[in-house]
Amino acid sequence: MPTADQVRKTLARALEKAGEGPVELAAAMGIERNYIRDFLQGRKDSLRAEVMLGLSEHFGIPFKDLVVTGKKAKSRTAQS
């Protein structure tokens, strides 16, 4: 599964290919107008599930390619 930066690149390519802007897309999806832009600019590290689903359907991107995964933190017992 991709990192946040990989999802940002995937989404940015899809927007560019479609000739759409993040603010206009967010408004069309009925979400806060800066939500997608903030994610693309790194102000957010992930997207809500309903937004990922909408983006997946809108651009034909597999849902799993929009799910951000990161390095898992070590458990407290493992750090002791």
Side-chain angles (χ1 to χ4, degrees):
M1 293 195 181
T3 64
D5 285 337
Q6 290 169 325
V7 173
R8 285 184 185 100
K9 287 177 186 174
T10 298
L11 184 53
R13 280 191 305 266
L15 283 163
E16 184 177 341
K17 185 176 177 182
E20 297 181 56
V23 173
E24 295 79 14
L25 177 60
M29 293 176 66
I31 59 177
E32 198 274 320
R33 64 186 307 269
N34 295 322
Y35 187 87
I36 295 171
R37 187 192 68 185
D38 286 351
F39 174 75
L40 290 172
Q41 293 178 345
R43 293 183 184 146
K44 293 183 182 303
D45 291 325
S46 63
L47 299 166
R48 295 188 312 254
E50 63 271 14
V51 173
M52 289 187 290
L53 183 57
L55 293 170
S56 175
E57 291 174 353
H58 184 78
F59 293 118
I61 301 170
F63 185 81
K64 66 181 179 73
D65 290 348
L66 297 171
V67 178
V68 174
T69 57
K71 295 178 182 177
K72 294 186 177 180
K74 293 180 181 179
S75 68
R76 287 179 175 226
T77 56
Q79 292 177 358
S80 299

